[in-house]
Amino acid sequence: MIALNKPLRGPDETDVVAEATTKKLGHTILFSHEVRSTNQWAKHLAKLGAAEGTITVADTQKRGRGRLGREWVSPEGGLWFSVILRPRLSAQEATKLVFVAGLTVAEVLKEQYDLPVETKWPNDTLVLGRKICGVLCEASTSGGHVDFVVIGFGLNANFLVRDDLPVNLQNTSTSLQDELGKRVNVEKLFHCLIGKLGDLYSLFLSKGFLPILEGWKKHAGFIGQRIVVTDSDQKTAGLALDVDAEGMLLLKTEDGLIHRVSVGDASFK
Ligand code: BTN
């Protein structure tokens, strides 16, 4: 559980941790032991007008959601949280926030635990080929501009994959406890992630996408590898050449064509 400083009792079973700080993100942290989905909760609050930087956190999610409509299994011990952002960006620019989030996770896991992290297009963080964290960005837009974005982080922290994830995920997933052989201080990790996200978000807003993309690519082990991209039922195999300045994957198929892929799930061939 995230340790709470100055918990206030909210209108329901929620602890509200409201700290007036100079930090842009995390001025309001809402915690609940169990929710359906912290993203769903954050989106609900954002629709009611919650400010940028509001965060929802839970020990466990009953209906955690992954990308492409998948379920996200969220046992206790994981770090499941969502951040509300209100960038003044076009809907197209805001899609790049997934890289801000991915770089946040990669840098924090490297700095805190010296793990051999890799970013995998578009939203995964891997350790030695196994997924340790996924990010789900959901935006509400009107007239081509962003009203809010919710970025949800699902980080497998203090549990063992063999004990707490279903069999079908065990070969492709890992956790911090599996990698480090011990449990981590999840409160400290949470605050590191929020601090880093705030820094990289500011960098993105002030300097644009390129410094983010450069940082993200430094961890991108899949570039130069043969991969398969799955979108709905369609699978496309090819060589991952690069990620371009719009965040699109450049995939060279066997016929020599180079495809700019905007959506999908990449796996190694
Ligand atoms: C993925 O890799 O498919 C994205 C997974 C994102 C999971 C997180 S857990 C916290 C937040 N709440 C959700 O329901 N999903 C995201």
Side-chain angles (χ1 to χ4, degrees):
M1 183 205 282
I2 305 290
L4 303 167
N5 36 6
K6 289 194 190 164
L8 307 169
R9 187 51 63 182
D12 49 19
E13 285 303 300
T14 303
D15 283 324
V16 181
V17 184
E19 287 284 288
T21 70
T22 53
K23 286 194 176 164
K24 197 171 175 188
L25 306 182
H27 50 75
T28 304
I29 300 171
L30 300 155
F31 170 78
S32 189
H33 171 62
E34 180 180 296
V35 293
R36 283 168 69 85
S37 152
T38 59
N39 259 40
Q40 188 189 44
W41 185 15
K43 285 195 292 178
H44 175 70
L45 295 172
K47 282 179 196 150
L48 295 175
E52 169 158 280
T54 303
I55 297 177
T56 55
V57 199
D59 281 335
T60 175
Q61 303 182 113
K62 284 288 147 207
R63 288 286 170 88
R65 291 150 27 129
R67 285 179 65 246
L68 309 173
R70 285 189 289 240
E71 178 195 11
W72 183 261
V73 182
S74 316
E76 279 192 46
L79 184 48
W80 325 120
F81 69 97
S82 304
V83 183
I84 297 174
L85 299 179
R86 294 188 182 276
R88 292 186 187 175
L89 293 175
S90 68
Q92 176 59 32
E93 280 303 295
T95 60
K96 297 168 185 165
L97 284 167
V98 71
F99 295 89
V100 174
L103 181 57
T104 295
V105 175
E107 288 197 353
V108 167
L109 296 189
K110 181 80 192 147
E111 287 165 9
Q112 294 298 312
Y113 311 114
D114 199 23
L115 285 171
V117 283
E118 283 178 29
T119 49
K120 193 186 81 169
W121 184 88
N123 76 321
D124 293 348
T125 310
L126 312 181
V127 174
L128 301 175
R130 289 171 183 246
K131 182 159 169 170
I132 198 160
C133 184
V135 168
L136 178 65
C137 288
E138 298 185 279
S140 168
T141 60
S142 56
H145 282 265
V146 168
D147 178 16
F148 65 82
V149 178
V150 167
I151 306 186
F153 293 82
L155 177 48
N156 299 340
N158 286 335
F159 62 82
L160 294 172
V161 164
R162 68 166 183 272
D163 292 341
D164 286 315
L165 290 188
V167 172
N168 64 318
L169 295 177
Q170 292 192 358
N171 286 337
T172 52
S173 306
T174 190
S175 70
L176 288 174
Q177 191 174 340
D178 279 300
E179 294 302 323
L180 300 170
K182 62 178 185 187
R183 294 165 72 84
V184 299
N185 180 334
V186 81
E187 183 194 0
K188 181 175 168 215
L189 172 59
F190 173 71
H191 288 289
C192 288
L193 287 164
I194 296 310
K196 179 71 77 177
L197 181 67
D199 292 346
L200 293 177
Y201 179 50
S202 298
L203 178 68
F204 175 54
L205 294 181
S206 60
K207 300 270 193 280
F209 183 46
L210 285 186
I212 299 295
L213 183 61
E214 271 172 25
W216 187 91
K217 278 192 205 174
K218 284 189 189 143
H219 300 282
F222 71 97
I223 293 178
Q225 304 281 323
R226 298 205 67 77
I227 61 169
V228 177
V229 178
T230 309
D231 180 17
S232 304
D233 285 341
Q234 195 180 333
K235 288 184 188 295
T236 313
L239 181 66
L241 293 179
D242 202 357
V243 175
D244 74 10
E246 292 305 311
M248 305 270 199
L249 173 68
L250 301 183
L251 186 70
K252 186 174 181 183
T253 45
E254 279 183 4
D255 52 13
L257 291 177
I258 296 174
H259 305 254
R260 286 181 82 223
V261 186
S262 61
V263 189
D265 216 18
S267 55
F268 293 99
K269 206 170 168 192

